[in-house]
Amino acid sequence: MQITFLGHSGFTIQDGKTNLLIDPWLSGNPLAQTKPETLSPTLILVSHGHADHLGDAIEIARNSRAKILGVFELANFCPQKGVETHGAKPGGKIKFDFGWVKLVPAIHSSSFENQYTGAAVGFLINIGGKLIYHAGDTSLTREMKTLGELYEIDLAMLPIGGHFTMDSEEALTAVKWIKLKTVIPMHYNTFDLLAQDDLKLKQEIESQTATKCRLLSPGEAFGY
Ligand code: NI
Ligand code: MN
């Protein structure tokens, strides 16, 4: 399995023929190194409607014919733009050839072009025998503790930028609650408002928990 950080909250997870794309905001992203036309996903997961998450998803879906998976209202909004979707709701598990994706709670808002696009969610992704949690945009929430109790999560992508989501200090608490093997911080340093000291967070996580903190630069990939 290969995981690539695209910048902000964007990732690809490739396992054999499966190529998942999550929250692909590339055009207009000051740090992104990847051009949308170079991506050929088999499924696109979008956590909520905000432009820094829906991003280039519709254009990429049109070009690749991959479906967009998101919350029901967001999924109903996308076909107006000429793409196919899977719509679900928090708690819903959608099965695929590679495994499954479950929509999990996030505490955030969600809209696009002044339209309401449902609840913001995170994703629990079962792929390649691993369980991966992409938290989307969210505050620290006790739901994370529940996820840690119910599931053995291998890897989590957690927002740490503050202002629109939880910050580094709360991400440290989230890591303690979820009890995961590896964490990748996301949604920070994209612009000044989201400035965070990721090296300090890595040091705190690795000295206070058994979790490894992986810091990725936009465009960086690693085998998992
Ligand atoms: Ni947002
Ligand atoms: Mn965001």
Side-chain angles (χ1 to χ4, degrees), residues 5-224:
F5 179 48
L6 303 176
H8 207 56
S9 298
F11 290 87
T12 61
I13 303 172
Q14 285 174 267
D15 184 39
K17 285 184 199 159
T18 304
N19 187 3
L20 306 183
L21 174 61
I22 309 170
D23 284 359
W25 176 45
L26 304 166
S27 306
N29 176 337
L31 301 183
Q33 304 293 314
T34 310
K35 296 263 175 271
E37 56 272 21
T38 63
L39 297 171
S40 45
T42 52
L43 180 67
I44 304 171
L45 313 185
V46 179
S47 64
H48 63 293
H50 291 156
D52 58 322
H53 297 262
L54 186 57
D56 298 285
I58 287 167
E59 185 199 329
I60 296 168
R62 263 199 225 119
N63 294 337
S64 63
R65 308 212 160 246
K67 287 188 183 179
I68 292 178
L69 168 58
V71 87
F72 185 74
E73 288 80 0
L74 178 63
N76 280 352
F77 169 79
C78 292
Q80 301 168 22
K81 309 280 183 185
V83 299
E84 288 185 60
T85 59
H86 296 283
K89 289 278 172 92
K93 182 194 276 185
I94 304 99
K95 289 180 183 163
F96 294 97
D97 290 347
F98 63 82
W100 49 260
V101 177
K102 189 183 199 38
L103 275 59
V104 296
I107 296 185
H108 195 63
S109 63
S110 179
S111 61
F112 187 73
E113 294 175 350
N114 294 319
Q115 281 194 54
Y116 170 69
T117 47
V121 297
F123 296 106
L124 207 54
I125 305 162
N126 173 251
I127 181 171
K130 304 274 189 202
L131 204 49
I132 299 174
Y133 170 42
H134 185 290
D137 276 0
T138 183
S139 80
L140 180 67
T141 153
R142 297 287 286 192
E143 308 294 344
M144 292 170 178
K145 198 160 193 167
T146 303
L147 290 179
E149 285 166 7
L150 294 179
Y151 299 98
E152 295 273 329
I153 297 175
D154 294 289
L155 172 71
M157 294 91 162
L158 299 180
I160 70 159
H163 198 95
F164 302 109
T165 69
M166 62 188 193
D167 59 14
S168 315
E169 208 178 310
E170 290 168 323
L172 176 62
T173 303
V175 165
K176 290 175 181 171
W177 284 353
I178 304 166
K179 297 190 218 66
L180 56 158
K181 295 195 185 91
T182 308
V183 65
I184 301 175
M186 65 175 183
H187 208 275
Y188 72 102
N189 290 358
T190 317
F191 28 86
D192 292 347
L193 199 59
L194 304 185
Q196 295 286 321
D197 186 344
D198 56 358
L199 288 171
K200 178 168 171 270
L201 175 64
K202 178 180 166 67
Q203 193 274 327
E204 287 171 347
I205 287 173
E206 295 186 347
S207 62
Q208 295 178 37
T209 74
T211 302
K212 188 173 165 43
C213 178
R214 188 123 203 185
L215 303 178
L216 296 176
S217 308
E220 191 176 344
F222 74 103
Y224 192 70

